[in-house]
Amino acid sequence: MTELGEMLMQAVPDDDLPEPVDTCTQEYKTLLERIMKGAEFISTIGPDHTQWAAANRKYEALCREALKLRWTS
């Protein structure tokens, strides 16, 4: 850890840190997993692949769906 990071960790005692809260629905988490798999697929095939354009359209649609879901739930 950097010196600055250590200073920050010492500035706030552990007992003052709030417990992490998971506010994401399972539907949203599943959608994020699909987005990650799509991004990995797109990055492995490259723009010369015959499925590249279709994969990008699907990826963008999943991203729009995730944004909509995140702001409405």
Side-chain angles (χ1 to χ4, degrees), residues 6-54:
E6 289 178 24
M7 288 176 19
L8 290 172
M9 292 303 292
Q10 292 172 1
V12 179
D14 288 341
D15 56 342
D16 287 347
L17 295 175
E19 288 294 319
V21 177
D22 185 2
T23 60
C24 298
T25 64
Q26 186 58 43
E27 180 183 10
Y28 182 72
K29 290 178 186 178
T30 302
L31 192 54
L32 292 182
E33 288 175 9
R34 291 180 63 200
I35 289 170
M36 290 301 299
K37 287 179 183 179
E40 290 171 357
F41 177 73
I42 290 168
S43 69
T44 59
I45 63 173
D48 295 329
H49 194 279
T50 57
Q51 292 182 331
W52 191 78

mmCIF file of all heavy atoms in Angstrom, residues 6-54:
data_model
loop_
_atom_site.group_PDB
_atom_site.id
_atom_site.type_symbol
_atom_site.label_atom_id
_atom_site.label_comp_id
_atom_site.label_asym_id
_atom_site.label_seq_id
_atom_site.Cartn_x
_atom_site.Cartn_y
_atom_site.Cartn_z
ATOM 1 N N GLU A 6 -1.854 4.289 3.398
ATOM 2 C CA GLU A 6 -1.689 3.947 4.811
ATOM 3 C C GLU A 6 -2.168 5.079 5.705
ATOM 4 O O GLU A 6 -2.818 4.838 6.727
ATOM 5 C CB GLU A 6 -0.227 3.613 5.094
ATOM 6 C CG GLU A 6 0.205 2.303 4.500
ATOM 7 C CD GLU A 6 1.674 2.013 4.763
ATOM 8 O OE1 GLU A 6 2.241 2.549 5.727
ATOM 9 O OE2 GLU A 6 2.249 1.232 3.976
ATOM 10 N N MET A 7 -1.861 6.320 5.316
ATOM 11 C CA MET A 7 -2.307 7.472 6.112
ATOM 12 C C MET A 7 -3.833 7.536 6.149
ATOM 13 O O MET A 7 -4.423 7.811 7.183
ATOM 14 C CB MET A 7 -1.733 8.768 5.541
ATOM 15 C CG MET A 7 -0.255 8.920 5.798
ATOM 16 S SD MET A 7 0.570 10.370 5.072
ATOM 17 C CE MET A 7 -0.695 11.506 4.701
ATOM 18 N N LEU A 8 -4.456 7.277 5.011
ATOM 19 C CA LEU A 8 -5.920 7.316 4.961
ATOM 20 C C LEU A 8 -6.531 6.209 5.817
ATOM 21 O O LEU A 8 -7.530 6.424 6.494
ATOM 22 C CB LEU A 8 -6.402 7.198 3.519
ATOM 23 C CG LEU A 8 -6.128 8.406 2.627
ATOM 24 C CD1 LEU A 8 -6.465 8.080 1.181
ATOM 25 C CD2 LEU A 8 -6.888 9.623 3.096
ATOM 26 N N MET A 9 -5.940 5.024 5.773
ATOM 27 C CA MET A 9 -6.450 3.918 6.571
ATOM 28 C C MET A 9 -6.316 4.213 8.067
ATOM 29 O O MET A 9 -7.169 3.829 8.861
ATOM 30 C CB MET A 9 -5.719 2.615 6.221
ATOM 31 C CG MET A 9 -6.036 2.110 4.828
ATOM 32 S SD MET A 9 -7.784 1.826 4.523
ATOM 33 C CE MET A 9 -8.078 0.435 5.582
ATOM 34 N N GLN A 10 -5.276 4.894 8.454
ATOM 35 C CA GLN A 10 -5.080 5.237 9.859
ATOM 36 C C GLN A 10 -5.982 6.384 10.295
ATOM 37 O O GLN A 10 -6.318 6.505 11.466
ATOM 38 C CB GLN A 10 -3.621 5.604 10.120
ATOM 39 C CG GLN A 10 -2.695 4.429 9.981
ATOM 40 C CD GLN A 10 -1.227 4.835 10.048
ATOM 41 O OE1 GLN A 10 -0.905 6.011 10.224
ATOM 42 N NE2 GLN A 10 -0.350 3.856 9.892
ATOM 43 N N ALA A 11 -6.406 7.215 9.349
ATOM 44 C CA ALA A 11 -7.226 8.380 9.679
ATOM 45 C C ALA A 11 -8.638 7.991 10.097
ATOM 46 O O ALA A 11 -9.272 8.702 10.875
ATOM 47 C CB ALA A 11 -7.289 9.336 8.492
ATOM 48 N N VAL A 12 -9.141 6.874 9.597
ATOM 49 C CA VAL A 12 -10.500 6.438 9.916
ATOM 50 C C VAL A 12 -10.416 5.066 10.585
ATOM 51 O O VAL A 12 -10.065 4.087 9.946
ATOM 52 C CB VAL A 12 -11.368 6.337 8.642
ATOM 53 C CG1 VAL A 12 -12.763 5.860 8.985
ATOM 54 C CG2 VAL A 12 -11.420 7.663 7.921
ATOM 55 N N PRO A 13 -10.715 4.989 11.855
ATOM 56 C CA PRO A 13 -10.692 3.682 12.541
ATOM 57 C C PRO A 13 -11.685 2.717 11.914
ATOM 58 O O PRO A 13 -12.730 3.119 11.399
ATOM 59 C CB PRO A 13 -11.107 4.019 13.977
ATOM 60 C CG PRO A 13 -10.951 5.493 14.108
ATOM 61 C CD PRO A 13 -11.073 6.074 12.743
ATOM 62 N N ASP A 14 -11.346 1.436 11.936
ATOM 63 C CA ASP A 14 -12.200 0.406 11.329
ATOM 64 C C ASP A 14 -13.620 0.407 11.876
ATOM 65 O O ASP A 14 -14.572 0.142 11.150
ATOM 66 C CB ASP A 14 -11.587 -0.982 11.532
ATOM 67 C CG ASP A 14 -10.358 -1.193 10.660
ATOM 68 O OD1 ASP A 14 -10.196 -0.459 9.676
ATOM 69 O OD2 ASP A 14 -9.583 -2.105 10.976
ATOM 70 N N ASP A 15 -13.785 0.698 13.147
ATOM 71 C CA ASP A 15 -15.124 0.646 13.725
ATOM 72 C C ASP A 15 -16.004 1.817 13.280
ATOM 73 O O ASP A 15 -17.205 1.815 13.512
ATOM 74 C CB ASP A 15 -15.065 0.570 15.253
ATOM 75 C CG ASP A 15 -14.276 1.711 15.877
ATOM 76 O OD1 ASP A 15 -13.493 2.367 15.157
ATOM 77 O OD2 ASP A 15 -14.435 1.940 17.086
ATOM 78 N N ASP A 16 -15.419 2.819 12.607
ATOM 79 C CA ASP A 16 -16.197 3.945 12.095
ATOM 80 C C ASP A 16 -16.676 3.724 10.658
ATOM 81 O O ASP A 16 -17.476 4.495 10.142
ATOM 82 C CB ASP A 16 -15.382 5.239 12.130
ATOM 83 C CG ASP A 16 -15.206 5.768 13.555
ATOM 84 O OD1 ASP A 16 -15.917 5.279 14.454
ATOM 85 O OD2 ASP A 16 -14.369 6.654 13.754
ATOM 86 N N LEU A 17 -16.168 2.677 10.014
ATOM 87 C CA LEU A 17 -16.559 2.417 8.631
ATOM 88 C C LEU A 17 -17.929 1.741 8.597
ATOM 89 O O LEU A 17 -18.181 0.810 9.356
ATOM 90 C CB LEU A 17 -15.528 1.511 7.950
ATOM 91 C CG LEU A 17 -14.129 2.096 7.778
ATOM 92 C CD1 LEU A 17 -13.189 1.050 7.215
ATOM 93 C CD2 LEU A 17 -14.163 3.315 6.890
ATOM 94 N N PRO A 18 -18.823 2.205 7.731
ATOM 95 C CA PRO A 18 -20.148 1.574 7.651
ATOM 96 C C PRO A 18 -20.045 0.195 7.000
ATOM 97 O O PRO A 18 -19.139 -0.080 6.220
ATOM 98 C CB PRO A 18 -20.937 2.539 6.772
ATOM 99 C CG PRO A 18 -19.912 3.233 5.952
ATOM 100 C CD PRO A 18 -18.668 3.311 6.808
ATOM 101 N N GLU A 19 -20.973 -0.653 7.327
ATOM 102 C CA GLU A 19 -21.044 -1.967 6.700
ATOM 103 C C GLU A 19 -21.450 -1.784 5.240
ATOM 104 O O GLU A 19 -22.312 -0.963 4.927
ATOM 105 C CB GLU A 19 -22.089 -2.840 7.407
ATOM 106 C CG GLU A 19 -21.674 -3.298 8.776
ATOM 107 C CD GLU A 19 -20.482 -4.239 8.732
ATOM 108 O OE1 GLU A 19 -20.433 -5.118 7.839
ATOM 109 O OE2 GLU A 19 -19.600 -4.092 9.583
ATOM 110 N N PRO A 20 -20.835 -2.536 4.331
ATOM 111 C CA PRO A 20 -21.245 -2.428 2.925
ATOM 112 C C PRO A 20 -22.682 -2.917 2.745
ATOM 113 O O PRO A 20 -23.100 -3.875 3.387
ATOM 114 C CB PRO A 20 -20.260 -3.323 2.180
ATOM 115 C CG PRO A 20 -19.623 -4.176 3.218
ATOM 116 C CD PRO A 20 -19.780 -3.490 4.536
ATOM 117 N N VAL A 21 -23.410 -2.228 1.892
ATOM 118 C CA VAL A 21 -24.805 -2.583 1.626
ATOM 119 C C VAL A 21 -24.936 -2.927 0.144
ATOM 120 O O VAL A 21 -24.539 -2.154 -0.715
ATOM 121 C CB VAL A 21 -25.745 -1.405 1.974
ATOM 122 C CG1 VAL A 21 -27.181 -1.754 1.623
ATOM 123 C CG2 VAL A 21 -25.607 -1.034 3.426
ATOM 124 N N ASP A 22 -25.462 -4.088 -0.129
ATOM 125 C CA ASP A 22 -25.671 -4.521 -1.500
ATOM 126 C C ASP A 22 -27.099 -4.179 -1.894
ATOM 127 O O ASP A 22 -28.044 -4.799 -1.414
ATOM 128 C CB ASP A 22 -25.413 -6.021 -1.615
ATOM 129 C CG ASP A 22 -25.488 -6.509 -3.049
ATOM 130 O OD1 ASP A 22 -25.693 -5.685 -3.958
ATOM 131 O OD2 ASP A 22 -25.332 -7.717 -3.244
ATOM 132 N N THR A 23 -27.260 -3.200 -2.770
ATOM 133 C CA THR A 23 -28.598 -2.764 -3.165
ATOM 134 C C THR A 23 -28.994 -3.277 -4.542
ATOM 135 O O THR A 23 -30.060 -2.948 -5.038
ATOM 136 C CB THR A 23 -28.686 -1.226 -3.168
ATOM 137 O OG1 THR A 23 -27.722 -0.717 -4.098
ATOM 138 C CG2 THR A 23 -28.428 -0.661 -1.785
ATOM 139 N N CYS A 24 -28.135 -4.071 -5.158
ATOM 140 C CA CYS A 24 -28.415 -4.574 -6.503
ATOM 141 C C CYS A 24 -29.323 -5.798 -6.445
ATOM 142 O O CYS A 24 -29.139 -6.682 -5.619
ATOM 143 C CB CYS A 24 -27.123 -4.948 -7.216
ATOM 144 S SG CYS A 24 -26.014 -3.560 -7.454
ATOM 145 N N THR A 25 -30.256 -5.846 -7.363
ATOM 146 C CA THR A 25 -31.119 -7.020 -7.452
ATOM 147 C C THR A 25 -30.366 -8.143 -8.166
ATOM 148 O O THR A 25 -29.395 -7.907 -8.883
ATOM 149 C CB THR A 25 -32.397 -6.705 -8.240
ATOM 150 O OG1 THR A 25 -32.027 -6.379 -9.590
ATOM 151 C CG2 THR A 25 -33.174 -5.548 -7.626
ATOM 152 N N GLN A 26 -30.843 -9.355 -7.998
ATOM 153 C CA GLN A 26 -30.217 -10.493 -8.681
ATOM 154 C C GLN A 26 -30.350 -10.344 -10.190
ATOM 155 O O GLN A 26 -29.439 -10.699 -10.936
ATOM 156 C CB GLN A 26 -30.835 -11.812 -8.210
ATOM 157 C CG GLN A 26 -30.131 -13.023 -8.770
ATOM 158 C CD GLN A 26 -28.658 -13.070 -8.420
ATOM 159 O OE1 GLN A 26 -28.250 -12.801 -7.295
ATOM 160 N NE2 GLN A 26 -27.832 -13.415 -9.389
ATOM 161 N N GLU A 27 -31.462 -9.797 -10.639
ATOM 162 C CA GLU A 27 -31.666 -9.572 -12.078
ATOM 163 C C GLU A 27 -30.584 -8.645 -12.633
ATOM 164 O O GLU A 27 -30.014 -8.891 -13.696
ATOM 165 C CB GLU A 27 -33.053 -8.978 -12.311
ATOM 166 C CG GLU A 27 -33.373 -8.701 -13.754
ATOM 167 C CD GLU A 27 -34.731 -8.038 -13.933
ATOM 168 O OE1 GLU A 27 -35.347 -7.616 -12.941
ATOM 169 O OE2 GLU A 27 -35.164 -7.948 -15.093
ATOM 170 N N TYR A 28 -30.275 -7.587 -11.892
ATOM 171 C CA TYR A 28 -29.257 -6.634 -12.318
ATOM 172 C C TYR A 28 -27.871 -7.285 -12.321
ATOM 173 O O TYR A 28 -27.094 -7.107 -13.255
ATOM 174 C CB TYR A 28 -29.280 -5.415 -11.384
ATOM 175 C CG TYR A 28 -28.300 -4.339 -11.756
ATOM 176 C CD1 TYR A 28 -28.504 -3.540 -12.879
ATOM 177 C CD2 TYR A 28 -27.177 -4.102 -10.979
ATOM 178 C CE1 TYR A 28 -27.615 -2.544 -13.224
ATOM 179 C CE2 TYR A 28 -26.282 -3.105 -11.310
ATOM 180 C CZ TYR A 28 -26.500 -2.334 -12.432
ATOM 181 O OH TYR A 28 -25.611 -1.348 -12.771
ATOM 182 N N LYS A 29 -27.565 -8.079 -11.288
ATOM 183 C CA LYS A 29 -26.274 -8.755 -11.227
ATOM 184 C C LYS A 29 -26.113 -9.730 -12.386
ATOM 185 O O LYS A 29 -25.040 -9.816 -12.987
ATOM 186 C CB LYS A 29 -26.135 -9.491 -9.892
ATOM 187 C CG LYS A 29 -25.984 -8.569 -8.708
ATOM 188 C CD LYS A 29 -25.897 -9.371 -7.436
ATOM 189 C CE LYS A 29 -25.899 -8.482 -6.225
ATOM 190 N NZ LYS A 29 -25.863 -9.250 -4.981
ATOM 191 N N THR A 30 -27.170 -10.458 -12.708
ATOM 192 C CA THR A 30 -27.130 -11.393 -13.828
ATOM 193 C C THR A 30 -26.899 -10.653 -15.139
ATOM 194 O O THR A 30 -26.120 -11.088 -15.987
ATOM 195 C CB THR A 30 -28.441 -12.206 -13.896
ATOM 196 O OG1 THR A 30 -28.608 -12.889 -12.650
ATOM 197 C CG2 THR A 30 -28.433 -13.185 -15.034
ATOM 198 N N LEU A 31 -27.545 -9.521 -15.280
ATOM 199 C CA LEU A 31 -27.369 -8.698 -16.476
ATOM 200 C C LEU A 31 -25.935 -8.205 -16.581
ATOM 201 O O LEU A 31 -25.339 -8.216 -17.667
ATOM 202 C CB LEU A 31 -28.355 -7.531 -16.436
ATOM 203 C CG LEU A 31 -28.536 -6.707 -17.687
ATOM 204 C CD1 LEU A 31 -28.890 -7.575 -18.887
ATOM 205 C CD2 LEU A 31 -29.608 -5.662 -17.455
ATOM 206 N N LEU A 32 -25.348 -7.791 -15.480
ATOM 207 C CA LEU A 32 -23.951 -7.350 -15.496
ATOM 208 C C LEU A 32 -23.010 -8.484 -15.893
ATOM 209 O O LEU A 32 -22.033 -8.258 -16.617
ATOM 210 C CB LEU A 32 -23.547 -6.793 -14.129
ATOM 211 C CG LEU A 32 -24.201 -5.486 -13.706
ATOM 212 C CD1 LEU A 32 -23.657 -5.041 -12.348
ATOM 213 C CD2 LEU A 32 -23.991 -4.397 -14.740
ATOM 214 N N GLU A 33 -23.312 -9.691 -15.459
ATOM 215 C CA GLU A 33 -22.494 -10.842 -15.856
ATOM 216 C C GLU A 33 -22.575 -11.060 -17.371
ATOM 217 O O GLU A 33 -21.558 -11.335 -18.014
ATOM 218 C CB GLU A 33 -22.955 -12.095 -15.128
ATOM 219 C CG GLU A 33 -22.599 -12.109 -13.659
ATOM 220 C CD GLU A 33 -23.164 -13.319 -12.921
ATOM 221 O OE1 GLU A 33 -23.693 -14.252 -13.580
ATOM 222 O OE2 GLU A 33 -23.082 -13.324 -11.693
ATOM 223 N N ARG A 34 -23.767 -10.925 -17.921
ATOM 224 C CA ARG A 34 -23.930 -11.075 -19.373
ATOM 225 C C ARG A 34 -23.173 -9.980 -20.121
ATOM 226 O O ARG A 34 -22.579 -10.239 -21.176
ATOM 227 C CB ARG A 34 -25.410 -11.037 -19.746
ATOM 228 C CG ARG A 34 -26.180 -12.253 -19.273
ATOM 229 C CD ARG A 34 -27.637 -12.188 -19.641
ATOM 230 N NE ARG A 34 -27.797 -12.182 -21.095
ATOM 231 C CZ ARG A 34 -28.895 -11.751 -21.708
ATOM 232 N NH1 ARG A 34 -29.920 -11.308 -21.005
ATOM 233 N NH2 ARG A 34 -28.978 -11.764 -23.021
ATOM 234 N N ILE A 35 -23.179 -8.769 -19.576
ATOM 235 C CA ILE A 35 -22.450 -7.658 -20.195
ATOM 236 C C ILE A 35 -20.954 -7.952 -20.196
ATOM 237 O O ILE A 35 -20.263 -7.741 -21.200
ATOM 238 C CB ILE A 35 -22.771 -6.332 -19.475
ATOM 239 C CG1 ILE A 35 -24.211 -5.907 -19.794
ATOM 240 C CG2 ILE A 35 -21.779 -5.243 -19.866
ATOM 241 C CD1 ILE A 35 -24.726 -4.762 -18.967
ATOM 242 N N MET A 36 -20.440 -8.449 -19.084
ATOM 243 C CA MET A 36 -19.014 -8.769 -18.993
ATOM 244 C C MET A 36 -18.643 -9.871 -19.987
ATOM 245 O O MET A 36 -17.623 -9.781 -20.673
ATOM 246 C CB MET A 36 -18.644 -9.200 -17.578
ATOM 247 C CG MET A 36 -18.697 -8.088 -16.567
ATOM 248 S SD MET A 36 -17.588 -6.718 -16.965
ATOM 249 C CE MET A 36 -16.019 -7.546 -16.927
ATOM 250 N N LYS A 37 -19.463 -10.911 -20.076
ATOM 251 C CA LYS A 37 -19.183 -11.993 -21.027
ATOM 252 C C LYS A 37 -19.225 -11.474 -22.461
ATOM 253 O O LYS A 37 -18.407 -11.861 -23.298
ATOM 254 C CB LYS A 37 -20.180 -13.135 -20.842
ATOM 255 C CG LYS A 37 -19.934 -13.940 -19.594
ATOM 256 C CD LYS A 37 -20.946 -15.051 -19.441
ATOM 257 C CE LYS A 37 -20.720 -15.799 -18.140
ATOM 258 N NZ LYS A 37 -21.704 -16.861 -17.938
ATOM 259 N N GLY A 38 -20.168 -10.582 -22.736
ATOM 260 C CA GLY A 38 -20.250 -9.989 -24.070
ATOM 261 C C GLY A 38 -19.030 -9.157 -24.397
ATOM 262 O O GLY A 38 -18.500 -9.221 -25.513
ATOM 263 N N ALA A 39 -18.571 -8.370 -23.434
ATOM 264 C CA ALA A 39 -17.377 -7.546 -23.653
ATOM 265 C C ALA A 39 -16.158 -8.428 -23.905
ATOM 266 O O ALA A 39 -15.336 -8.129 -24.789
ATOM 267 C CB ALA A 39 -17.143 -6.642 -22.448
ATOM 268 N N GLU A 40 -16.047 -9.509 -23.153
ATOM 269 C CA GLU A 40 -14.928 -10.437 -23.356
ATOM 270 C C GLU A 40 -15.004 -11.066 -24.748
ATOM 271 O O GLU A 40 -13.990 -11.175 -25.443
ATOM 272 C CB GLU A 40 -14.939 -11.524 -22.288
ATOM 273 C CG GLU A 40 -14.569 -11.018 -20.916
ATOM 274 C CD GLU A 40 -14.780 -12.042 -19.819
ATOM 275 O OE1 GLU A 40 -15.272 -13.165 -20.109
ATOM 276 O OE2 GLU A 40 -14.449 -11.727 -18.664
ATOM 277 N N PHE A 41 -16.199 -11.463 -25.159
ATOM 278 C CA PHE A 41 -16.376 -12.064 -26.480
ATOM 279 C C PHE A 41 -15.982 -11.077 -27.574
ATOM 280 O O PHE A 41 -15.219 -11.407 -28.487
ATOM 281 C CB PHE A 41 -17.824 -12.529 -26.660
ATOM 282 C CG PHE A 41 -18.106 -13.089 -28.024
ATOM 283 C CD1 PHE A 41 -17.622 -14.336 -28.391
ATOM 284 C CD2 PHE A 41 -18.860 -12.370 -28.940
ATOM 285 C CE1 PHE A 41 -17.877 -14.858 -29.648
ATOM 286 C CE2 PHE A 41 -19.119 -12.886 -30.199
ATOM 287 C CZ PHE A 41 -18.633 -14.130 -30.551
ATOM 288 N N ILE A 42 -16.478 -9.852 -27.479
ATOM 289 C CA ILE A 42 -16.191 -8.835 -28.487
ATOM 290 C C ILE A 42 -14.690 -8.559 -28.570
ATOM 291 O O ILE A 42 -14.134 -8.427 -29.656
ATOM 292 C CB ILE A 42 -16.976 -7.540 -28.184
ATOM 293 C CG1 ILE A 42 -18.470 -7.774 -28.437
ATOM 294 C CG2 ILE A 42 -16.467 -6.373 -29.019
ATOM 295 C CD1 ILE A 42 -19.367 -6.684 -27.899
ATOM 296 N N SER A 43 -14.046 -8.511 -27.419
ATOM 297 C CA SER A 43 -12.612 -8.211 -27.429
ATOM 298 C C SER A 43 -11.784 -9.362 -28.002
ATOM 299 O O SER A 43 -10.700 -9.143 -28.518
ATOM 300 C CB SER A 43 -12.123 -7.865 -26.024
ATOM 301 O OG SER A 43 -12.152 -8.996 -25.188
ATOM 302 N N THR A 44 -12.306 -10.593 -27.939
ATOM 303 C CA THR A 44 -11.543 -11.714 -28.468
ATOM 304 C C THR A 44 -11.740 -11.910 -29.965
ATOM 305 O O THR A 44 -10.835 -12.402 -30.639
ATOM 306 C CB THR A 44 -11.901 -13.040 -27.758
ATOM 307 O OG1 THR A 44 -13.286 -13.309 -27.930
ATOM 308 C CG2 THR A 44 -11.558 -12.989 -26.292
ATOM 309 N N ILE A 45 -12.900 -11.525 -30.509
ATOM 310 C CA ILE A 45 -13.140 -11.789 -31.935
ATOM 311 C C ILE A 45 -12.606 -10.678 -32.840
ATOM 312 O O ILE A 45 -12.230 -10.932 -33.959
ATOM 313 C CB ILE A 45 -14.629 -12.069 -32.235
ATOM 314 C CG1 ILE A 45 -15.504 -10.853 -31.922
ATOM 315 C CG2 ILE A 45 -15.097 -13.307 -31.512
ATOM 316 C CD1 ILE A 45 -16.955 -11.003 -32.359
ATOM 317 N N GLY A 46 -12.611 -9.433 -32.386
ATOM 318 C CA GLY A 46 -12.109 -8.330 -33.198
ATOM 319 C C GLY A 46 -13.102 -7.859 -34.249
ATOM 320 O O GLY A 46 -14.056 -8.565 -34.584
ATOM 321 N N PRO A 47 -12.865 -6.664 -34.798
ATOM 322 C CA PRO A 47 -13.823 -6.043 -35.722
ATOM 323 C C PRO A 47 -13.925 -6.718 -37.091
ATOM 324 O O PRO A 47 -14.871 -6.455 -37.836
ATOM 325 C CB PRO A 47 -13.305 -4.611 -35.857
ATOM 326 C CG PRO A 47 -11.880 -4.668 -35.459
ATOM 327 C CD PRO A 47 -11.747 -5.789 -34.477
ATOM 328 N N ASP A 48 -13.008 -7.588 -37.432
ATOM 329 C CA ASP A 48 -13.071 -8.257 -38.733
ATOM 330 C C ASP A 48 -13.936 -9.514 -38.709
ATOM 331 O O ASP A 48 -14.244 -10.076 -39.756
ATOM 332 C CB ASP A 48 -11.656 -8.634 -39.200
ATOM 333 C CG ASP A 48 -10.805 -7.395 -39.452
ATOM 334 O OD1 ASP A 48 -11.370 -6.353 -39.834
ATOM 335 O OD2 ASP A 48 -9.576 -7.482 -39.257
ATOM 336 N N HIS A 49 -14.358 -9.934 -37.543
ATOM 337 C CA HIS A 49 -15.172 -11.146 -37.398
ATOM 338 C C HIS A 49 -16.585 -10.879 -37.909
ATOM 339 O O HIS A 49 -17.119 -9.776 -37.762
ATOM 340 C CB HIS A 49 -15.211 -11.572 -35.932
ATOM 341 C CG HIS A 49 -15.718 -12.953 -35.708
ATOM 342 N ND1 HIS A 49 -17.056 -13.257 -35.695
ATOM 343 C CD2 HIS A 49 -15.060 -14.114 -35.504
ATOM 344 C CE1 HIS A 49 -17.210 -14.548 -35.476
ATOM 345 N NE2 HIS A 49 -16.001 -15.094 -35.353
ATOM 346 N N THR A 50 -17.210 -11.897 -38.490
ATOM 347 C CA THR A 50 -18.551 -11.724 -39.059
ATOM 348 C C THR A 50 -19.613 -11.425 -38.002
ATOM 349 O O THR A 50 -20.628 -10.802 -38.309
ATOM 350 C CB THR A 50 -18.978 -12.992 -39.840
ATOM 351 O OG1 THR A 50 -18.918 -14.116 -38.954
ATOM 352 C CG2 THR A 50 -18.076 -13.227 -41.028
ATOM 353 N N GLN A 51 -19.406 -11.835 -36.768
ATOM 354 C CA GLN A 51 -20.393 -11.599 -35.708
ATOM 355 C C GLN A 51 -20.113 -10.342 -34.895
ATOM 356 O O GLN A 51 -20.847 -10.032 -33.967
ATOM 357 C CB GLN A 51 -20.432 -12.800 -34.770
ATOM 358 C CG GLN A 51 -20.991 -14.039 -35.394
ATOM 359 C CD GLN A 51 -21.040 -15.186 -34.407
ATOM 360 O OE1 GLN A 51 -20.234 -15.266 -33.484
ATOM 361 N NE2 GLN A 51 -21.997 -16.081 -34.592
ATOM 362 N N TRP A 52 -19.072 -9.612 -35.235
ATOM 363 C CA TRP A 52 -18.663 -8.468 -34.418
ATOM 364 C C TRP A 52 -19.753 -7.396 -34.324
ATOM 365 O O TRP A 52 -20.071 -6.927 -33.239
ATOM 366 C CB TRP A 52 -17.372 -7.872 -34.978
ATOM 367 C CG TRP A 52 -16.728 -6.878 -34.074
ATOM 368 C CD1 TRP A 52 -15.974 -7.138 -32.969
ATOM 369 C CD2 TRP A 52 -16.791 -5.458 -34.187
ATOM 370 N NE1 TRP A 52 -15.543 -5.966 -32.392
ATOM 371 C CE2 TRP A 52 -16.043 -4.916 -33.121
ATOM 372 C CE3 TRP A 52 -17.402 -4.594 -35.083
ATOM 373 C CZ2 TRP A 52 -15.897 -3.556 -32.930
ATOM 374 C CZ3 TRP A 52 -17.245 -3.226 -34.891
ATOM 375 C CH2 TRP A 52 -16.503 -2.725 -33.818
ATOM 376 N N ALA A 53 -20.342 -7.010 -35.438
ATOM 377 C CA ALA A 53 -21.379 -5.962 -35.440
ATOM 378 C C ALA A 53 -22.601 -6.402 -34.639
ATOM 379 O O ALA A 53 -23.142 -5.635 -33.826
ATOM 380 C CB ALA A 53 -21.771 -5.590 -36.860
ATOM 381 N N ALA A 54 -23.036 -7.630 -34.839
ATOM 382 C CA ALA A 54 -24.199 -8.141 -34.099
ATOM 383 C C ALA A 54 -23.895 -8.222 -32.608
ATOM 384 O O ALA A 54 -24.744 -7.882 -31.775
ATOM 385 C CB ALA A 54 -24.597 -9.506 -34.636
#
